Structures are given as structure tokens and as C-alpha cells.
């Protein structure tokens, strides 16, 4: 079929991969940082175009027939009626919008009302919340806002030469807070609730549809958010979950239908294939390990892992509830972490190190169980993030999660997922692929870890954690 490209515009850089359209083999790559300092809350979207041009330099895209675009989620690009930005793009987990999130929850009648309307409860990072902040803090810019796009929508629109038609995909739309994955429709009343007036929203097109063709004949696929693109690049399907270990953690899984969770712990996203991607987020993952390493005077997480491996499963009775920043899963925003089980023989650095790893992983296992409790099948867990390579994580994760754990080799999975989407749209347009079946690319190279004989031990450690959590925060997971 030829070659395709996927570009991923993350918060800090643009990365491009050029792939064989039939196999997914990466043929060449490009990279460039955005020309901005740090990770500001406001960014001129032209910076994304500048780094895109730099990353594509040197003839990187020569011979490419189609491009897919992945980009950071939750960015809002507000345009006036002429297509110009009314202010810089609002990006990232914007703390300015925390009060706006609470206002929106109250304005619609509570968390359950939002979960029923669009499958999620407003958080500070979400576009709908940023619109509320904009209307309250910058009313002039809000009043001039006529069109709302996300980062990947805007990049696709720019690549196509700014046509009259503006598009998005199900995955990106599902994270806005004003599109429902369950109904497949916008809730324009929620846009008005947040922004103060209606605005034009991009057309949601199918996973294998093309957004358009450039004047040079280059096909541009629908694009999607980074989370959906990474899942597509990994090749996950039914029975697979992805646990992402950042400072905070997230657990997502492929499911055939949208989940309605009245507690708001599940965010009902759509994926890049026509399926659904329910996500559960924890506030405390690798930050738990970093805090413990600092407490013990260790220079890095590798040293903490080495120390933890000198302990044994269960950490001699030490249990750490790792709610250092409060917690979203369970919903305990104002709580703190708890360390229990202190006995003289347990008061050694290696046992605290072990308890930190087990506490982090048990918190993520709680998030997995939220999905399992709603009928989501989990046979394999893909473990992502630099911390997934640590021996203390790999020694405990399979038995604590109660599933096979897959640790993929580091790769640009969001860019690869964008390229796979481009290949799908190209094949569909040429009649060589079915719009219901994406191209069968090779799966990610990975290390596979089985629970094996450690399963019973791991489940005992998990039960110890659950007992402490229930004693300390009784009923935290009840709806």
C-alpha cells in the first residue's frame, strides 16, 4: 500500500514516524521540541506548527501518502468567526480551572448528572471546564469565540489548508466534557452552560474516514488524542488493559460499550477504532515512589527498587495507603497517605521501600477492579512508563493485578497509532481495507510476565492492603 506517517504533538515536542502501511515497520523518524519554555498553561498553537515543520525537515515525509495526527488531550483552541485564535490555546491540567470545575458540577446538579450526560465529571483539565474559566475570567475573549477545536483538530485543519469543514474523531470528542460516547452526540447545552453561548463544533467522523486531502494529494486521517493513539499503536483489544505509571496513574481498557458510572470514577472515553475506552485515574503513582526515595535519602528510583527487593512480599506487615495528594480513586480529595503495621522488626528501610511499591500497585489494582466490577474483561495488563522497567515493579505487578503483565519496549506508540490510523484511512479510500477492520500491524515488542506461583502470595498482599483501606476509609468504593 505504500508508506504513511504519524505525527504526535505532545505538550513538549512533535515526534513523527514514517511506517510501512502494510506491516507498521518504522522506516524513519523525526523529532523537534516546541519553541516554548517549560510547560505553560497558555500556548500559541503556531508553536506546534513550527516544531512540526522542524521535525519533518530533511525530506522525512518524501513518498508519504497519508498522515495521521495525534496530539495532547484537553487543549482548547478557541477561534473567532474568521478562524483566528481569540487567545492562546489553553493546555494541560490547568489549576486555574479548579473552581470552574466545581461550579460546573453544581450547575448541572452534581456528579451523577454529569456522568449520565457525558460519561465523566468535570475536572480542571477538561475543555468544558476551561470554557467555564474563560467565560468568567476573560469574558471578552469568550464572547469572540465562535469555533472550538482541540489540538489535533486544529493541526488537521491547518494541514488541510484551513477548509470550511472542521472535523474531529470520537476519541478526541469524548474527552471534551460536551460529547457523549454513549449517545455519539454533542451536548451543546453544556457548551452554553460553560461558555455562556453556543459555538461551532467540529464534525465527528468515523475511525477510518479521512478528514480530507491536501492540495498536493496527501490524505489526512481523522486524528485523535494521545491516549487513544497510544492504545491503537500498542494494538490493544478486548481483554486488554493499560496501566500507565506517571506521577499519577491511569488504567484504561477496551470495552464494547460505554459505561455509565454514577460515582464519576470512570471516565467513559471512546477509542480510535469504534469501541470504547473507559479510564480510571489515580492521583498517586510514581510520586509515591519519589516521595519514599526522598524520605529514605536515596538518589533515584533504581536505588529504591534495589532496596525493596531486599524485603519480601507483604513488607513485614507494613502497608502504605499512597494517597499523598488526596485521591480520585477512591474519591478522597482531602485525605492524606497512611502507613500502618509498624512493629519493631518491620522498621527497616527495605520494608518501607517494598511497602511503597506495593501501595502504588495496589492503588492501581483498585482502579483495575473498578473496571472489572463493571464487567470489563482484563486478561492482560500492558504496563507503561519508565517505572515499569524497575525490578520491584515487575516482581509484584503480575500477582497484585492477578493477570499477565506485558511491558512493551519503549517506542513512540502515540505516533505509531496515528500512522496506523492513516494507513486505515488510506486503505479504506483505496478499497483495500474494510472501514470496520483496522490494518493488522505487528504488535509491540514486549516482555511478558506471568503471575505463576506468586499469585496466591500477591493476592494475600492485596487483601492486606484492602483491609487497611477499608478500616481507614470505610465504604470509600461504595456508589
Amino acid at each position: 500500500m505504500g508508506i504513511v506517517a504519524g505525527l504526535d504533538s505532545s505538550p513538549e515536542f512533535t515526534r513523527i514516524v514514517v511506517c510501512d502501511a502494510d506491516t507498521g515497520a518504522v522506516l524513519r523518524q523525526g523529532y523537534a521540541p516546541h519553541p516554548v519554555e517549560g510547560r505553560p498553561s497558555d500556548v500559541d498553537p503556531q508553536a506546534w506548527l513550527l516544531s512540526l515543520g522542524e521535525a519533518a525537515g530533511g525530506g522525512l515525509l518524501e513518498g508519504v501518502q497519508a498522515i495521521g495526527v495525534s496530539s495532547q488531550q484537553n487543549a482548547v483552541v478557541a477561534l473567532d468567526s474568521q478562524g483566528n485564535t481569540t487567545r492562546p490555546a489553553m493546555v494541560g491540567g490547568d489549576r486555574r480551572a479548579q473552581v470552574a470545575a466545581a461550579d460546573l458540577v453544581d450547575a448541572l446538579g452534581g456528579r451523577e448528572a454529569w456522568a449520565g450526560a457525558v460519561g465523566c465529571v468535570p475536572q480542571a483539565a477538561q475543555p468544558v471546564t476551561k470554557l467555564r474559566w474563560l467565560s468568567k475570567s476573560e469574558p471578552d475573549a469568550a464572547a469572540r469565540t465562535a469555533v472550538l477545536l482541540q489540538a489535533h483538530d486544529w493541526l488537521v485543519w491547518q494541514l488541510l489548508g484551513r477548509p470550511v469543514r472542521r472535523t474531529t474523531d470520537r476519541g478526541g470528542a469524548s474527552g471534551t466534557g460536551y460529547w457523549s460516547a454513549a449517545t455519539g452526540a454533542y451536548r451543546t447545552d453544556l457548551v452554553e452552560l460553560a461558555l455562556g453561548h453556543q459555538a461551532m463544533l467540529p464534525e465527528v467522523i468515523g475511525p477510518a474516514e479521512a478528514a480530507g486531502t491536501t492540495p498536493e494529494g496527501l490524505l489526512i486521517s481523522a486524528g485523535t488524542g494521545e491516549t487513544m493513539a497510544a492504545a491503537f499503536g500498542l494494538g490493544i483489544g478486548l481483554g486488554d488493559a493499560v496501566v500507565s505509571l506517571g506521577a499519577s496513574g491511569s488504567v484504561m481498557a477496551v470495552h464494547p460499550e460505554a459505561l455509565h458510572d454514577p460515582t464519576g470514577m470512570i471516565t467513559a472515553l471512546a477509542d480510535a477504532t469504534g469501541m470504547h475506552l473507559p479510564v480510571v485515574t489515580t492521583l498517586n503513582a510514581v510520586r509515591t515512589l519519589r516521595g519514599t526515595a526522598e524520605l529514605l535519602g536515596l538518589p533515584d528510583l533504581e536505588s529504591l527498587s534495589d532496596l525493596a527487593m531486599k524485603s519480601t512480599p507483604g513488607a513485614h506487615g507494613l502497608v502504605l495507603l499512597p494517597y499523598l495528594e488526596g485521591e480520585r480513586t477512591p474519591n478522597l480529595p482531602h485525605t492524606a497517605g497512611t502507613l500502618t503495621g509498624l512493629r519493631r522488626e518491620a522498621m527497616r528501610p527495605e520494608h518501607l521501600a517494598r511497602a511503597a511499591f506495593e501501595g502504588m500497585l495496589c492503588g492501581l489494582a483498585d482502579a483495575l477492579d473498578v473496571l472489572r466490577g463493571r464487567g470489563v474483561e482484563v486478561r492482560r495488563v500492558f504496563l507503561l512508563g519508565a517505572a515499569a522497567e524497575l525490578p520491584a515493579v515487575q516482581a509484584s505487578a503480575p500477582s497484585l493485578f492477578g493477570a499477565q503483565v506485558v511491558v512493551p519496549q519503549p517506542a513512540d506508540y502515540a505516533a505509531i497509532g496515528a500512522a496506523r490510523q492513516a494507513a486505515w484511512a488510506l486503505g479504506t479510500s483505496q478499497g483495500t481495507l474494510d472501514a470496520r477492520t483496522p490494518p493488522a500491524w505487528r504488535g509491540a515488542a514486549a516482555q511478558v510476565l506471568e503471575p505463576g506461583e506468586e499469585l496466591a502470595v500477591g493476592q494475600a498482599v492485596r487483601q492486606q492492603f484492602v483491609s487497611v483501606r477499608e478500616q481507614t476509609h470505610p465504604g470509600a468504593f461504595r456508589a
Side-chain angles (χ1 to χ4, degrees):
M1 234 169 26
I3 59 174
V4 294
L7 80 85
D8 175 39
S9 181
S10 83
E12 297 174 338
F13 55 79
T14 297
R15 200 179 294 276
I16 301 175
V17 297
V18 176
C19 300
D20 181 282
D22 292 312
T23 66
V26 176
L27 306 175
R28 46 188 190 263
Q29 304 179 58
Y31 166 87
H34 298 318
V36 293
E37 293 292 327
R39 293 183 65 167
S41 298
D42 293 328
V43 175
D44 182 347
Q46 292 295 327
W48 307 333
L49 284 182
L50 289 171
S51 65
L52 192 166
E54 186 179 342
L60 184 77
L61 299 180
E62 187 175 338
V64 165
Q65 296 169 269
I67 294 178
V69 177
S70 156
S71 191
Q72 58 182 301
Q73 287 160 238
N74 298 323
V76 177
V77 185
L79 305 178
D80 63 19
S81 57
Q82 305 303 309
N84 301 312
T85 54
T86 61
R87 68 175 318 284
M90 295 175 281
V91 300
D94 199 332
R95 290 184 177 272
R96 296 174 300 185
Q98 286 177 332
V99 173
D103 285 348
L104 280 177
V105 171
D106 291 342
L108 196 65
R111 296 170 62 86
E112 187 169 352
W114 277 96
V118 286
C120 62
V121 177
Q123 303 291 331
Q126 279 184 299
V128 70
T129 307
K130 288 173 173 153
L131 296 182
R132 179 74 160 197
W133 176 88
L134 182 64
S135 71
K136 299 296 184 184
S137 303
E138 298 180 6
D140 290 345
R144 289 186 290 111
T145 296
V147 181
L148 295 172
L149 300 177
Q150 294 185 82
H152 73 84
D153 307 335
W154 186 84
L155 284 165
V156 165
W157 184 58
Q158 294 289 332
L159 289 171
L160 291 172
R162 297 163 59 106
V164 172
R165 182 192 190 212
R166 300 176 181 92
T167 63
T168 191
D169 86 306
R170 295 170 66 255
S174 67
T176 60
Y178 44 82
W179 186 87
S180 168
T183 65
Y186 282 115
R187 285 288 302 263
T188 55
D189 58 317
L190 300 182
V191 174
E192 186 167 355
L193 179 69
L195 186 61
H197 61 87
Q198 292 291 345
M200 186 176 294
L201 303 171
E203 176 189 346
V204 181
I205 62 176
E209 282 188 68
T213 305
T214 69
E216 299 77 27
L218 192 63
L219 183 144
I220 309 295
S221 63
T224 195
E226 274 189 320
T227 296
M228 300 79 188
F232 197 38
L234 282 167
I236 68 168
L238 292 173
D240 293 332
V242 177
V243 172
S244 183
L245 299 177
S248 55
S250 67
V251 177
M252 61 182 178
V254 178
H255 198 57
E257 59 190 26
L259 295 179
H260 169 61
D261 174 31
T263 70
M265 281 191 289
I266 297 175
T267 298
L269 300 179
D271 78 348
T273 73
M275 301 280 275
H276 294 269
L277 200 66
V279 177
V280 180
T281 302
T282 71
L283 295 182
N284 301 279
V286 175
R287 63 166 41 99
T288 304
L289 305 183
R290 295 202 184 282
T292 307
E294 290 172 11
L295 180 66
L296 293 173
L298 298 174
D300 50 42
L301 298 187
E302 289 75 16
S303 301
L304 184 70
S305 175
D306 292 343
L307 185 61
M309 294 299 286
K310 295 177 181 177
S311 181
T312 53
H316 273 242
L318 285 188
V319 176
L320 176 64
L321 300 183
Y323 306 150
L324 309 184
E325 296 282 326
E327 190 48 82
R328 275 187 64 182
T329 307
N331 185 33
L332 300 167
H334 306 299
T335 193
T338 305
L339 181 66
T340 66
L342 287 170
R343 290 188 171 86
R344 178 65 189 89
E345 63 273 17
M347 297 177 72
R348 297 183 59 83
E350 62 265 31
H351 301 323
L352 178 57
R354 183 86 186 202
F357 280 96
E358 290 177 348
M360 175 189 75
L361 292 170
C362 283
L364 290 161
D366 277 350
L368 269 172
D369 280 354
V370 170
L371 295 178
R372 285 175 168 137
R374 298 303 307 277
V376 177
E377 184 182 14
V378 178
R379 293 193 304 267
R380 295 191 300 176
V381 175
F382 285 72
L383 200 55
L384 303 184
E389 303 287 339
L390 296 173
V393 169
Q394 295 191 2
S396 301
S399 60
L400 292 177
F401 293 161
Q404 182 187 82
V405 168
V406 179
V407 184
Q409 290 183 2
D412 304 316
Y413 291 110
I416 291 169
R420 190 178 178 203
Q421 186 194 66
W424 194 6
L426 179 64
T428 301
S429 72
Q430 295 175 338
T432 57
L433 287 176
D434 190 306
R436 295 165 297 182
T437 308
W441 282 11
R442 288 187 299 234
Q447 183 179 4
V448 178
L449 310 169
E450 299 285 355
E453 297 177 356
E454 296 296 316
L455 180 60
V457 174
Q459 293 306 289
V461 172
R462 179 81 205 293
Q463 187 54 51
Q464 179 177 259
F465 177 91
V466 170
S467 296
V468 170
R469 192 233 306 133
E470 276 298 303
Q471 288 174 345
T472 310
H473 304 287
F477 275 103
R478 289 186 199 132

